[in-house]
Amino acid sequence: MKFTTFALFAAAATVATVSAETKAWKITNLSSGERSNLCGRQIQTCQNNCGGPKEAPMAFCNSTTMAWGCGCSKKTPDFETWNWPVPAADCSGSNEACQANCNAGSSSNRNDCFASCSSTHKCNTEDAPVSYTTTKDADSTPQYIGPAVSYKGDKLDDLNDGNDRDNVESSSDDSENGKDADDENDESTSGAVNIFKPVCLAMVAAITAGFAL
């Protein structure tokens, strides 16, 4: 009886320890199968938006790093940024991590925590948190973690997805989606492929609004 009681106590303590662990979200946490499927949908969405595979020379998605981009030969992709498969999945995963971290936190403010997750993760809308996964090519590594801002440029509260953004709030100068994106957009205006770089626009909007710390 004593052994059983001790075993149950130890098991409960183990569960409590596990449940208290903070989950840190990163889109590469998805299984290889999920990433491959997601990349397939990302490329197909780009090709459809451009008018077909032949009209989408810059439709790419790296299923290992989840770096993606979309560029059409005859137009600028006009699909809403927050609805592209990869950014939408990135938002959804961040929200799930947020909810899990609420469960791992104090029960006294759990409901407020859940409400905050819903408030900061309005996925598939312009109020969704920006996904830092676009790159200039399939071999470049995404930034992944950036300022907590929406596609409208509004500063968001803590996303509570296990990632520390304190040191990236003002680091847009060395982002893959910063100067490189501007250079590529300049090239597209002179007759090259039209490159779609949504993160750059969102970050510029956030900085202009004075949200950089």
Side-chain angles (χ1 to χ4, degrees):
M1 183 69 177
K2 288 183 179 179
F3 175 78
T4 303
T5 303
F6 176 78
L8 289 175
F9 178 79
T14 301
V15 171
T17 301
V18 172
S19 64
E21 292 180 354
T22 299
K23 290 190 175 183
W25 165 251
K26 191 176 180 182
I27 196 165
T28 52
N29 292 352
L30 295 173
S31 69
S32 59
E34 291 173 317
R35 295 196 307 271
S36 179
N37 178 276
L38 185 56
C39 268
R41 291 192 290 115
Q42 178 62 52
I43 292 174
Q44 184 175 35
T45 301
C46 176
Q47 292 174 339
N48 290 342
N49 189 264
C50 290
K54 293 182 179 180
E55 306 299 332
M58 284 294 291
F60 68 84
C61 183
N62 185 323
S63 61
T64 299
T65 65
M66 295 313 296
W68 71 277
C70 180
C72 306
S73 58
K74 297 180 179 178
K75 58 175 277 190
T76 299
D78 51 13
F79 199 70
E80 299 291 6
T81 313
W82 47 88
N83 282 328
W84 289 96
V86 172
D90 199 14
C91 178
S92 178
S94 176
N95 182 45
E96 289 176 7
C98 183
Q99 301 279 349
N101 290 333
C102 287
N103 279 322
S106 170
S107 59
S108 61
N109 62 351
R110 196 164 289 163
N111 289 336
D112 290 339
C113 186
F114 288 142
S116 179
C117 290
S118 299
S119 172
T120 55
H121 293 85
K122 296 179 179 179
C123 304
N124 295 102
T125 74
E126 62 181 347
D127 294 310
V130 169
S131 171
Y132 296 87
T133 47
T134 54
T135 60
K136 59 184 179 181
D137 56 57
D139 295 325
S140 297
T141 302
Q143 181 181 345
Y144 295 120
I145 308 303
V149 294
S150 71
Y151 288 100
K152 285 197 304 187
D154 294 336
K155 188 178 187 302
L156 301 174
D157 292 332
D158 182 15
L159 298 183
N160 193 33
D161 61 0
N163 293 299
D164 181 9
R165 291 178 171 79
D166 290 341
N167 298 322
V168 297
E169 292 292 340
S170 58
S171 63
S172 59
D173 57 322
D174 59 356
S175 166
E176 281 284 349
N177 303 291
K179 185 177 182 301
D180 289 340
D182 291 336
D183 292 341
E184 288 179 3
N185 285 331
D186 289 341
E187 291 175 3
S188 69
T189 345
S190 60
V193 175
N194 294 299
I195 304 298
F196 182 65
K197 293 292 182 179
V199 174
C200 176
L201 298 177
M203 291 179 71
V204 170
I207 294 172
T208 302
F211 291 128
L213 296 181

